[in-house]
């Protein structure tokens, strides 16, 4: 037994049953599975909400959630993990460039868990660099379930240290430096912003509000939060949107090598749809 076991300095009581209610609801709403070890994370993120609603504690909050459907949005926003960065897993952006050169008729790229926007803007930078212009007939659709990160993404304003690792050329071409009240910040240039369209899409919902045919799907570092059966259901629906020579890009720990009924590996956690078995 550790010295703090059996002791608690929490402001609100948070019983195992409360944690279980939270994770059941989060799973139903988003497909996100929370491990037992996420108890403290859930407490600290939702305690803020309990406090700002001036509620007495978690049982009142869970009742509030049941009786106020609009609270679901705050609940989801509080519990998603939005870690991302510009050019995260850089090898995928080299693959993207090669793919665009080999497939000049690419028209739509879907970035399906775009978080605060660094990923879709990195995609847009590669598109602009590949064709040496911003005004390219390629639409980048960026989506997320979390409405708060989508707002931040649309604004395209970041702390300057977020672009520290970018080449000087990219910094100059794609960002404005903030002055006055915005010192220490950068803003994505409007030409790049125009290339990306943000939408709220919950991958668990049966309707994805995507009308256009999709050539490339970036779906990175979100499937890890889903269980295997949800992963495969989402992957199957995504693969159906792609043409035979389309590309699916997964996160570094999301491997689908054994989902051969759906995809075949294109190397480096990228996949081609396996339409031959349709
Ligand atoms: C760790 S971030 C990954 C961001 C980016 N794709 C990357 O690799 O850097 C995971 C994102 O998935 C989103 N997400 C979680 N569940 C989702 C769902 N059911 N539908 C859509 N997005 C979801 C979260 O809101 C979060 O922004």
């Amino acid at each position: 037994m550790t010295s703090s076991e059996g002791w608690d300095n929490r402001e609100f009581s948070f019983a195992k049953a409360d944690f279980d209610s939270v994770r059941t609801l989060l799973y139903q709403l988003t497909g996100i599975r929370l491990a037992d070890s996420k108890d403290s994370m859930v407490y600290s993120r939702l305690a803020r909400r309990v406090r700002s609603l001036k509620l007495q504690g978690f049982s009142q909050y869970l009742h509030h959630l049941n009786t106020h459907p609009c609270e679901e949005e705050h609940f989801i926003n509080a519990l998603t993990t939005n870690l991302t960065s510009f050019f995260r897993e850089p090898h995928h952006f080299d693959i993207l460039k090669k793919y665009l050169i080999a497939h000049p008729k690419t028209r739509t790229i879907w970035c399906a868990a775009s978080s605060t926007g660094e990923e879709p803007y990195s995609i847009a930078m590669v598109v602009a660099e590949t064709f040496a212009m911003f005004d390219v007939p390629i639409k980048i659709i960026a989506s997320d379930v979390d409405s708060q990160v989508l707002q931040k993404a649309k604004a395209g304003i970041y702390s300057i240290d977020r672009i520290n690792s970018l080449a000087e050329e990219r910094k100059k071409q794609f960002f404005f430096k903030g002055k006055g009240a915005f010192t220490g910040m950068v803003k994505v240039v409007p030409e790049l912003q125009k290339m990306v369209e943000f939408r709220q899409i919950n991958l668990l919902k049966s309707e994805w509000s995507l009308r256009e045919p999709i050539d490339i799907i970036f779906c990175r570092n979100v499937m890890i939060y889903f269980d295997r059966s949800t992963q495969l259901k989402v992957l199957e629906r995504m693969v159906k949107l792609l043409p035979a020579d389309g590309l699916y890009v997964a996160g570094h720990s999301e491997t689908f090598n054994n989902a051969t009924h759906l995809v075949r590996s294109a190397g480096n956690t990228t996949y081609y749809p396996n339409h031959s078995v349709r």
Side-chain angles (χ1 to χ4, degrees):
M1 192 187 249
T2 61
S3 58
S4 60
E5 228 171 280
W7 299 90
D8 196 350
N9 62 357
R10 286 174 171 173
E11 180 182 355
F12 306 111
S13 86
F14 187 53
K16 170 83 169 58
D18 297 329
F19 178 53
D20 286 341
S21 303
V22 166
R23 54 179 172 181
T24 303
L25 183 60
L26 187 68
Y27 179 68
Q28 285 164 355
L29 293 174
T30 65
I32 297 174
R33 272 243 178 261
L34 291 176
D36 288 344
S37 58
K38 299 292 177 189
D39 164 282
S40 301
M41 179 205 88
V42 167
Y43 175 85
S44 66
R45 291 188 185 180
L46 287 183
R48 270 179 245 148
R49 198 64 203 144
V50 174
R51 233 171 271 130
S52 72
L53 289 167
K54 302 197 183 347
L55 300 174
Q56 302 293 310
F58 277 87
S59 28
Q60 249 198 28
Y61 180 66
L62 289 164
H63 176 72
H64 179 81
L65 254 174
N66 273 328
T67 48
H68 297 76
C70 59
E71 180 59 25
E72 282 177 1
E73 184 170 336
H74 296 283
F75 175 79
I76 293 172
N77 290 355
L79 293 176
T80 53
T81 297
N82 310 114
L83 183 80
T84 188
S85 58
F86 287 103
F87 293 94
R88 182 181 190 184
E89 299 176 48
H91 51 278
H92 284 159
F93 296 91
D94 299 333
I95 292 171
L96 172 64
K97 183 169 187 161
K98 283 191 192 127
Y99 183 93
L100 291 171
I101 292 167
H103 299 80
K105 288 196 174 144
T106 298
R107 288 293 167 263
T108 313
I109 305 173
W110 179 26
C111 177
S114 57
S115 189
T116 39
E118 289 86 336
E119 185 178 38
Y121 288 131
S122 302
I123 295 172
M125 288 183 228
V126 172
V127 172
E129 285 170 353
T130 305
F131 298 102
M133 57 179 170
F134 287 108
D135 197 10
V136 178
I138 294 182
K139 188 197 273 186
I140 300 162
I141 300 168
S143 67
D144 202 284
V145 67
D146 182 330
S147 57
Q148 220 167 3
V149 292
L150 282 169
Q151 263 183 32
K152 183 165 168 44
K154 270 184 216 168
I157 298 173
Y158 301 93
S159 159
I160 198 161
D161 51 282
R162 306 283 295 160
I163 64 163
N164 273 349
S165 62
L166 265 61
E168 281 309 311
E169 195 49 40
R170 278 188 174 149
K171 291 183 193 169
K172 264 195 225 139
Q173 198 186 352
F174 299 121
F175 296 90
F176 289 138
K177 239 181 174 174
K179 287 184 192 151
F182 294 102
T183 302
M185 313 291 280
V186 288
K187 188 174 185 342
V188 168
V189 298
E191 293 88 340
L192 201 73
Q193 268 182 313
K194 255 193 237 155
M195 295 172 69
V196 187
E197 193 183 305
F198 290 96
R199 297 182 192 173
Q200 188 174 26
I201 296 180
N202 182 347
L203 297 176
L204 210 72
K205 288 268 162 79
S206 53
E207 171 57 46
W208 281 349
S209 62
L210 291 166
R211 296 282 161 267
E212 43 286 273
I214 311 284
D215 300 295
I216 306 174
I217 298 176
F218 272 69
C219 183
R220 305 190 309 162
N221 305 305
V222 59
M223 291 282 211
I224 36 161
Y225 299 101
F226 301 159
D227 56 25
R228 193 63 180 168
S229 85
T230 307
Q231 289 181 355
L232 292 177
K233 273 185 216 149
V234 172
L235 180 68
E236 182 169 7
R237 288 175 63 198
M238 287 186 166
V239 160
K240 280 186 182 152
L241 299 175
L242 292 172
D245 59 349
L247 189 69
Y248 177 93
V249 184
H252 61 285
S253 55
E254 299 161 333
T255 162
F256 294 108
N257 290 338
N258 57 9
T260 48
H261 60 301
L262 299 174
V263 288
R264 61 196 165 84
S265 174
N268 274 308
T269 57
T270 65
Y271 298 88
Y272 297 123
N274 194 358
H275 288 170
S276 58
V277 292
R278 257 181 178 179

